[in-house]
């Protein structure tokens, strides 16, 4: 995609106006325990408290709100392991249009149930043997639907950037910012906000160790494709960055880090026990990486985006008891 078509911070500002009143302006949480452990001021942007439980609602609502009357009548199709699915289904319901969602057969049951509950028509596929993007394109062509991918779309990226925009506006100057990385919509949008509002802030994307395609892409200068990674961070089981997200990340992000599944479980336990909040594995990626770097972060002001809190209670109980 030509760089002229990439979203800018102005698009993030416009998205913020578009989603105002529909999306929650989520709280920024702090923990004295974390601040003492880091020797720093740490601010958590709690997107686990967003509508449908994740930041994805921002990008979905922004994208769908720009549909023409003809597009609204035909409806939207999306593919997602869960959070984008729920976000599109809810946004479509609020905007009065039908939604078809392509979801993997092993998607978390709670996310499938919520997607159906919001009125989404779920089409199931096998993430390890089938191509969700092809399925989505075929459905769009066959039924005249508009395909909204989970991350590689200018309106989605701009919408996701509104979470970081709120964090930078409310927390003030930040020295470092950490966000989970799957396909890159959240990180790319966050980086646009960071460069506009806190140009000296170091921006880090964090992905699962088992799926470090973004890290490989960032360091090699070209988009690297991998097999579907096996990790508990189901929201980051992407196989490659996007043509829209990659150039923004390459230009505006300082580094891509990783976290292990064991570290994610430890973070989930901390959030549940000490901060009394539910954060899904993917949502813990930023905090896990920041903990690895805490010696370098001493004395700094740090922003960490908790991307979502959608996890089956039985699965959460298993992680916390393990």
């Amino acid at each position: 995609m030509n760089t002229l078509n990439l979203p800018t911070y102005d698009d993030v500002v416009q998205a913020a106006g578009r989603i105002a009143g529909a999306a929650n302006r989520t709280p920024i949480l702090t923990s004295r325990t974390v601040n003492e452990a880091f020797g720093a001021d740490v601010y958590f942007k709690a997107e686990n408290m967003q509508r449908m439980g994740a930041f994805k609602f921002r990008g979905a609502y922004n994208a769908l709100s720009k549909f023409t009357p003809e597009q609204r009548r035909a409806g939207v199709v999306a593919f997602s392991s869960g959070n984008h699915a729920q976000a599109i289904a809810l946004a479509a319901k609020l905007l009065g249009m039908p939604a078809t969602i392509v979801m993997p057969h092993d998607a978390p049951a709670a996310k499938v149930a919520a997607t159906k509950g919001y009125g989404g028509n779920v089409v199931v596929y096998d993430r390890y043997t089938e191509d969700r993007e092809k399925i989505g394109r075929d459905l769009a062509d066959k039924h005249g639907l508009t395909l909204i991918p989970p991350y590689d779309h200018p309106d989605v990226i701009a919408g996701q950037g509104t979470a970081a925009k709120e964090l930078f506006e409310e927390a003030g100057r930040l020295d470092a910012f950490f966000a989970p990385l799957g396909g890159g919509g959240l990180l790319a949008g966050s980086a646009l906000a960071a460069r506009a509002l806190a140009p000296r802030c170091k921006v880090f994307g964090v992905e699962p160790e088992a799926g470090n395609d973004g890290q490989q892409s960032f360091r090699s200068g070209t988009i690297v494709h991998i097999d579907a990674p096996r990790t508990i961070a189901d929201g980051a089981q992407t196989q490659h960055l996007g043509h829209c997200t990659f150039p923004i990340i390459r230009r505006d992000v300082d580094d891509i880090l990783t976290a292990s599944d064991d570290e994610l479980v430890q973070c989930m336990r901390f959030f549940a026990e000490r901060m009394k909040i539910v954060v899904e594995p993917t949502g813990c990626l930023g905090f896990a990486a920041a903990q690895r770097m805490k010696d370098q972060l001493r004395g700094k002001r740090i922003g960490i985006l908790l991307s979502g809190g959608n996890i089956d209670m039985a699965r959460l109980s298993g992680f916390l008891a393990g």
Side-chain angles (χ1 to χ4, degrees):
M1 176 172 285
N2 189 299
T3 54
L4 293 176
N5 298 121
L6 296 177
T8 65
Y9 179 64
D10 284 342
D11 294 307
V12 177
V13 173
Q14 291 175 31
R18 216 171 274 122
I19 70 173
N24 295 335
R25 192 174 180 99
T26 52
I28 295 170
L29 307 179
T30 58
S31 163
R32 188 172 63 183
T33 302
V34 172
N35 288 349
E36 289 176 354
F38 276 67
D41 294 321
V42 182
Y43 301 91
F44 295 100
K45 179 62 168 168
E47 284 294 290
N48 54 317
M49 298 182 187
Q50 185 54 261
R51 289 187 78 162
M52 49 68 50
F55 75 96
K56 291 280 192 178
F57 180 74
R58 296 172 180 271
Y61 193 89
N62 184 51
L64 268 58
S65 67
K66 294 180 69 176
F67 275 23
T68 65
E70 293 76 18
Q71 286 177 306
R72 290 191 184 204
R73 278 195 293 273
V76 61
V77 61
F79 46 80
S80 164
S81 63
N83 283 340
H84 182 62
Q86 294 172 80
I88 289 288
L90 176 56
K93 181 178 183 179
L94 293 172
L95 292 166
M97 68 179 84
T100 298
I101 315 294
V102 180
M103 298 186 75
H105 69 87
D106 59 348
K111 294 184 178 182
V112 176
T115 301
K116 292 179 177 178
Y118 293 134
N121 172 37
V122 174
V123 175
V124 177
Y125 79 102
D126 185 328
R127 79 164 88 222
Y128 300 107
T129 62
E130 295 182 282
D131 183 347
R132 68 180 188 172
E133 297 180 28
K134 182 179 185 304
I135 296 170
R137 287 194 304 270
D138 289 347
L139 286 168
D141 292 341
K142 183 177 180 181
H143 301 291
L145 311 176
T146 300
L147 176 65
I148 298 295
Y151 54 86
D152 204 29
H153 189 289
D155 296 334
V156 171
I157 294 168
Q160 316 306 28
T162 61
K165 175 179 181 291
E166 292 173 8
L167 173 61
F168 285 108
E169 288 173 344
E170 292 181 36
R173 177 187 61 80
L174 294 177
D175 301 300
F177 170 84
F178 297 81
L181 171 60
L186 177 63
L187 181 59
S190 297
L192 292 175
R195 290 298 157 246
L197 300 175
R200 293 197 186 94
C201 181
K202 297 286 188 184
V203 176
F204 300 99
V206 189
E207 55 190 354
E209 280 184 351
N212 73 329
D213 60 289
Q215 187 180 65
Q216 293 180 53
S217 301
F218 186 80
R219 295 178 183 175
S220 68
T222 186
I223 296 176
V224 172
H225 292 246
I226 63 171
D227 293 333
R230 296 184 183 273
T231 169
I232 64 172
D234 61 279
Q237 283 183 300
T238 46
Q239 295 175 261
H240 58 85
L241 296 178
H243 295 294
C244 286
T245 60
F246 177 63
I248 297 172
I249 290 170
R250 195 87 205 289
R251 181 191 70 203
D252 293 338
V253 171
D254 290 278
D255 202 3
I256 306 297
L257 312 171
T258 64
S260 70
D261 280 3
D262 285 346
E263 288 173 313
L264 299 182
V265 170
Q266 290 170 16
C267 291
M268 291 167 64
R269 184 175 292 120
F270 175 83
F271 286 130
E273 291 180 348
R274 302 305 297 271
M275 294 183 69
K276 313 307 177 189
I277 57 173
V278 173
V279 183
E280 64 185 275
T282 306
C284 294
L285 284 164
F287 185 41
Q291 285 189 307
R292 281 194 190 182
M293 287 179 63
K294 64 184 178 184
D295 289 343
Q296 302 168 50
L297 298 172
R298 193 162 296 278
K300 307 287 189 184
R301 292 171 56 83
I302 304 151
I304 298 176
L305 203 150
L306 307 179
S307 58
N310 293 323
I311 181 171
D312 295 342
M313 286 300 101
R315 193 167 180 240
L316 176 63
S317 299
F319 287 139
L320 298 184

